[in-house]
Amino acid sequence: MNYINRLLILSAALLFFSCVDEDYGIPSLDDTENIDIPTNQLTTFKSLYERYEQAVKKGNLIAVIDEDLYIEGYVISSDQAGNFFEELIIQNKTDASNPDNDPRLGLKLEINVGSLSDTYEFGRKVYVKLKGLTIGESHGVLSIGRGEDSRIEQIQDFEYRNIVLRTSEVATMVPKASSLIHLTEADENTLIQLDNMQINRFDLARTYAGESIDKFDGLRILESCESGVSILMQTSTFSDFKSLPVPQDKGSVQGILSRDFRDDFNVFVVNSSSDVVFDSNERCDPAELECGLATTFGTTNLFYEDFESQKNNKLIIGNDWTNYIEAGNKGWEAYSSKATNASLGRSARFKSASSGDVSNIGWLITPAINLDAQDGETLRFKTSNSLADSSYLEVLYSLDWDGVEANITSATWGVLSAAYVVKDTDSFVPWFNSGNVDLSCAAGTMYIAFKYTGSGQETFDGVYELDEVSIDYLP
């Protein structure tokens, strides 16, 4: 009986493990083929782009491929760290050097399968069998999948391995070294390296995607230390590294240029946190005026504004203010409210939430202050917010701006770091004093700017309010 029982247990175990291996086993990485595609069936990424463009000219949103065609590409995405999901990004080149008649292009493959990197790891050469597939835009980037009306649908799990053919080659992928100002739509779905980059100082206290405002993705501002141009680094809240603090220094970052889910703005997506190599502690943040806070209040006024003479919901004008709209269609407006978040009579407000703009940046700049004409200059103001979320307000100064709007962004602007500006973590009911900011350690002609920058997220762009701006001195 003991022998029979052992035999039955052994047979059941063998049956169980054979079923697991047959039904659920991960494909072996040695299960590759040297695939030979007839030359007349091999097409190019460029021809697929052109096919899609022709379909759009005819009023179609997708192009269905009926011929026996294949494309050859290399995988540049990886879902191993959870920052990509049910998609493969492939490009046609292993590096950025290619002749002009064969541009470096990329495509996204929509596949209803998780853990694709187990089979198609980074650098794996693949062929895609195109017959019966559709090419079109999905979330703003050119994609391949199944066609459903005018949409791109996913390739399903029962068929994907017969469509995305895995070869034995794993190539070394060389990213295109570029600067943000030189990237174009043609760089979408391709591997890019950005050098001399850093996380914007207002995001340094955050994780990649572990904050309460990060509902689906974390969006952190990557900025160039060369041009000042920025892009949002997008990290999934399902990624393995979502709770890691963002790197504090500057350096290079490798990732894929893409678009956000709603196709509103460009994003930069890394495969893992190891693709962010910020190894230099020499950040390029703006200069700070280090006068600190003054112990004595100025008794003579140089400039004062309480906004009481302004008209509600109209742009701030007069009193030599410069109200400059750098991006979007919103500027600093007058605002009055007796609600929970009450104004101080009438205040200045910047509200970009629900503006419909991809980006909102607005400057409210004081008239010129001649610091050489008197001593002991100080600045005071009050700020409040209404759930600022990922937007932020900076108090800046310039000693070289010439007062011409067209030259605002090319002038040198530093930070009045001693001034307290309301934070997103502060209560949205009270008003906060800036402190008595000392300006007396500077010389020349100074302009002071209240610069609002929106987050680029419609549902997370908040409101800042400003009032009782006073610049004084000691006679």
Side-chain angles (χ1 to χ4, degrees), residues 93-109:
K93 300 286 182 180
T94 59
D95 60 52
S97 59
N98 58 80
D100 292 339
N101 62 352
D102 188 14
R104 177 174 174 270
L105 298 171
L107 290 164
K108 179 171 71 171
L109 305 180

Side-chain angles (χ1 to χ4, degrees), residues 227-254:
S227 65
V229 177
S230 63
I231 190 172
L232 291 171
M233 179 172 65
Q234 177 179 286
T235 305
S236 170
T237 54
F238 294 96
S239 68
D240 295 347
F241 56 97
K242 69 174 184 179
S243 297
L244 293 179
V246 297
Q248 305 294 295
D249 299 326
K250 74 172 184 177
S252 63
V253 55
Q254 177 179 295

